[in-house]
Amino acid sequence: MAEQPCQCSDCQRFYKEHDRLIREFPSFKQQQELNWASIQSFRTLCSKVTDELRRQLSDRETNEAVSQKDKHISDTEINEALDELESVNAHLYSIEALMERIFDSKVSNNIESKFKQIADELAPDPLSMDRLILNRLFHQTPDFPDKKNIN
Ligand SMILES: [Zn+2]
């Protein structure tokens, strides 16, 4: 007997989003484009925020006027965020290189039809095993929490 899928709010959000992306982007080509756009938008946003934080930090070093809305962010907070974001940007850059390889692949119209057919079957299924396996990243608690130590 398979275990019941987790119904915590993080997991439910994931199930909903996972199915929506299959329903709204049911072809191989659409999934390629969706994932490319998704990686690019994440990278664009992270890079812009990183640039902005760097600029803010250097303004402070040269004692230039810091705008009112930025004053509540401490230097420590900015430095920590820069470390994190630079690491994320490096990873996104690597993923982008791998995504380019995925973009080299094409499938025939017959195979695209198969994609759409499977997407129709998959998206309404509330207990898709593939989705449950993928969801471990979104889950808010570790796979094997040591419950004895919580209280
Ligand atoms: Zn969960």
Side-chain angles (χ1 to χ4, degrees):
M1 188 63 195
E3 254 183 80
Q4 276 295 95
C6 178
Q7 296 298 328
C8 77
S9 60
D10 284 343
C11 287
Q12 283 186 353
R13 199 163 43 84
F14 177 86
Y15 303 152
K16 233 175 111 183
E17 192 64 357
H18 179 278
D19 285 8
R20 184 182 71 79
L21 293 175
I22 289 180
R23 220 170 18 246
E24 292 179 14
F25 304 90
S27 77
F28 183 80
K29 191 166 188 294
Q30 283 173 312
Q31 285 290 330
Q32 281 178 318
E33 291 173 357
L34 165 71
N35 285 286
W36 182 252
S38 162
I39 293 297
Q40 292 292 340
S41 62
F42 194 11
R43 203 153 85 76
T44 302
L45 191 56
C46 282
S47 309
K48 289 288 171 196
V49 171
T50 303
D51 291 347
E52 172 68 19
L53 291 175
R54 278 207 201 99
R55 189 193 55 73
Q56 227 171 284
L57 212 53
S58 83
D59 281 358
R60 287 179 190 190
E61 278 160 9
T62 57
N63 286 322
E64 277 180 43
V66 178
S67 81
Q68 200 60 43
K69 69 179 190 322
D70 291 334
K71 271 185 181 160
H72 64 286
I73 309 179
S74 71
D75 285 6
T76 313
E77 201 176 350
I78 291 179
N79 279 313
E80 282 173 6
L82 281 174
D83 284 347
E84 292 286 351
L85 290 177
E86 277 159 10
S87 155
V88 166
N89 284 337
H91 284 112
L92 287 172
Y93 192 77
S94 303
I95 294 169
E96 189 184 307
L98 293 170
M99 283 294 295
E100 279 176 7
R101 306 283 294 274
I102 290 174
F103 249 80
D104 290 342
S105 297
K106 285 187 175 61
V107 298
S108 69
N109 288 339
N110 284 334
I111 302 300
E112 279 294 22
S113 301
K114 182 54 87 180
F115 263 83
K116 287 183 178 124
Q117 180 204 324
I118 300 289
D120 283 348
E121 294 167 8
L122 204 58
D125 178 4
L127 299 176
S128 159
M129 218 44 222
D130 297 333
R131 182 180 60 192
L132 298 178
I133 291 162
L134 287 169
N135 190 41
R136 68 187 192 283
L137 272 179
F138 267 45
H139 202 293
Q140 64 185 356
T141 54
D143 284 344
F144 303 106
D146 190 357
K147 284 176 182 152
K148 276 173 287 189
N149 290 340
I150 286 176
N151 293 321

